[in-house]
Amino acid sequence: MVHCCRSSLLGRSYVLCGRTSTNIHHRLGLGHLFSHRSRLLSTASSSSVKEDFKYCVDLIQKRDYDAYLCGLLLPSDHAKMAYFATRALNVEIGSTLQDMNSNDTNLIAIQLRLQFWRDSIAQMYAPNGSSGGHQSYSTPVLRALQAVKSKSNFSQIFFERLVDAREMDLDLVTSAKSNNDYMVFPNYEDMERYNELSSSSLIYLCMESLGVFECEEADIAASHVGRALGIISLLKGSVHRAAIGEICIPRDMCEKYSIDPESIVAHTLYQRNSRNDLSSDQSGATSTNVIHATEELATCAYNHISVARNIQSSLPKEARACLIQATTALHYLEQLKGNKYDLFTDEMVNRSQSSRNDVMHYLKLGRTWLTSVF
C-alpha cells in the first residue's frame, strides 16, 4: 500500500438548496449553516472579492454538496474561505478534462490548459506574486485563492499536486484511447497515489489555513482520510463514469475477481435504459464479482478512516476540524453496506439528490462538529 503523506514530501520530522432541506436543517438545530455562509461572504474585503468567493462557494455547493456542508462547519471564516477557494481550484483544474472523452478533444489543448493552471500557481509564489502579475489571475477562483494566500503560509507543492493528479487522468485516458480500451487505473497502488495527490492535498491545505504545520500525526490522519475520500468519490461516481467508459475498479482488482470492464459498462447502460423504460422488468442483477470488488474497495476506505480515527484524540483541535469529512465518508460506507455493496441500486444511484434530505447525515455532522470526534 502506498503511503506518502505531507511529512515525507516536505522533509519535515513530523486540515442548501430547496425548502425541504432548509426545514430539515432548522428542525435539527443546524439552521446556522446558512448564517455561516452569509457571514463568510460578508467578510470579503471588497465587493469584487466577495463575488469571487461567492463563485467558489456556489461551485462547491453544486458539485459536491457534502463537501459544501463540511466547509461551512470549519471554525474560522478564513479557514472557510481557504477551504472553498482551494476546492474550487481543484474543480476548475478537473473541468479541464471534462471533454477529454470526446473524439474531437485536442490533446495539446488540454495540456496547455493544465499548463495554464501550473503557471498560475507558480505566479502566485513568484517574488511579485502578492502585488503584481494580476494579468494571470483572470478567473474568480485564482483571485479568491490569491486573497486567502496572502493570509496563509500555504505550501506550493500541494497546489502543484492537484495538477499532477489531473495529468495522471490525462495519461490514463490517452492510454485508453490509443489501446481502444476503457479508462481504468492499472492497479490499486496507482489509485492510492492519485487520491493522495488530490484529496489528501486538499486536507493538508485546510490544515495549513488553520496553522497546523509540522505535526506528524495530523499529516498521517490527513493522508488516510484523503485516500478514503478519494476511493469513495470514485465509488459515488462509478455509474456515471462507467456510462462514459471509465471504470472505478482498478484493473488488478478486475483481474482478481474475473471482471470484464466491458460488462460493467454494458450493465450501466442496461440499468439506465431500464429506469427510463417503464415496461422493463429491470431484472438485470449486478454481477456478484463486481459487488465483491466494490466491497473490497469500501473496506480499504474504511481501514484508512480507522487509522485516522485511532489517532484523532492526539491531534490538535484545528487538525480535527479539517477531518470532518470522515463523518460523511463513514455515513456513505454504511449506506453502501446497507445496499449490500451494490452501486446500482436506486438508493445509491440517486444518492446525490437524496443526501440533501438525509436527516441522519446531518445529525452525524452535528455531533462531529460539537465533539470534534468522528
Side-chain angles (χ1 to χ4, degrees), residues 334-352:
E334 289 175 5
Q335 288 183 315
L336 186 57
K337 182 178 180 180
N339 283 269
K340 299 181 180 179
Y341 300 101
D342 187 349
L343 295 167
F344 294 88
T345 65
D346 287 339
E347 180 180 355
M348 301 311 298
V349 170
N350 299 321
R351 186 186 177 281
S352 61

Side-chain angles (χ1 to χ4, degrees), residues 96 106-116 167 170-171 174:
T96 300
N106 188 321
L107 177 61
I108 296 179
I110 292 179
Q111 291 172 330
L112 288 174
R113 291 180 214 166
L114 289 176
Q115 189 60 46
F116 162 79
E167 288 182 342
L170 185 58
D171 289 342
T174 302

Side-chain angles (χ1 to χ4, degrees), residues 65-258:
Y65 192 74
D66 290 342
Y68 164 74
L69 290 179
C70 292
L72 293 178
L73 294 173
L74 289 173
S76 74
D77 289 336
H78 173 69
K80 293 183 181 77
M81 293 168 75
Y83 176 94
F84 286 110
T86 54
R87 286 174 184 271
L89 174 68
N90 189 50
V91 171
E92 293 277 78
I93 296 173
S95 67
T96 300
L97 298 125
Q98 280 185 346
D99 60 348
M100 65 185 178
N101 287 292
S102 168
N103 292 329
D104 298 327
T105 298
N106 188 321
L107 177 61
I108 296 179
I110 292 179
Q111 291 172 330
L112 288 174
R113 291 180 214 166
L114 289 176
Q115 189 60 46
F116 162 79
W117 290 111
R118 196 177 290 281
D119 291 343
S120 298
I121 291 168
Q123 178 65 40
M124 285 193 292
Y125 285 87
N128 65 341
S130 59
S131 58
H134 292 287
Q135 185 176 1
S136 296
Y137 308 135
S138 55
T139 73
V141 170
L142 288 172
R143 291 192 296 268
L145 195 59
Q146 178 64 11
V148 294
K149 178 187 170 295
S150 64
K151 300 179 182 178
S152 295
N153 187 25
F154 290 128
S155 299
Q156 181 177 354
I157 189 173
F158 298 129
F159 292 117
E160 292 174 343
R161 290 172 72 187
L162 298 179
V163 183
D164 291 340
R166 301 309 176 181
E167 288 182 342
M168 279 189 69
D169 272 334
L170 185 58
D171 289 342
L172 286 174
V173 76
T174 302
S175 175
K177 283 187 174 184
S178 63
N179 295 311
N180 195 27
D181 198 359
Y182 296 104
M183 180 178 168
V184 57
F185 286 106
N187 50 62
Y188 178 77
E189 287 71 23
D190 279 356
M191 175 186 282
E192 286 271 275
R193 178 170 173 261
Y194 178 86
N195 294 335
E196 172 68 28
L197 289 173
S198 53
S199 300
S200 297
S201 292
L202 291 171
I203 302 179
Y204 297 144
L205 289 167
C206 183
M207 288 186 174
E208 290 187 342
S209 74
L210 285 169
V212 179
F213 298 90
E214 298 186 352
C215 179
E216 183 177 13
E217 289 190 323
D219 291 345
I220 292 173
S223 177
H224 281 284
V225 171
R227 283 183 280 165
L229 291 172
I231 293 173
I232 289 171
S233 177
L234 291 170
L235 291 175
K236 283 181 179 179
S238 58
V239 175
H240 169 72
R241 289 171 181 271
I244 59 175
E246 299 179 18
I247 308 300
C248 71
I249 302 172
R251 192 175 298 279
D252 60 344
M253 281 192 181
C254 287
E255 294 173 354
K256 175 181 178 180
Y257 291 100
S258 301

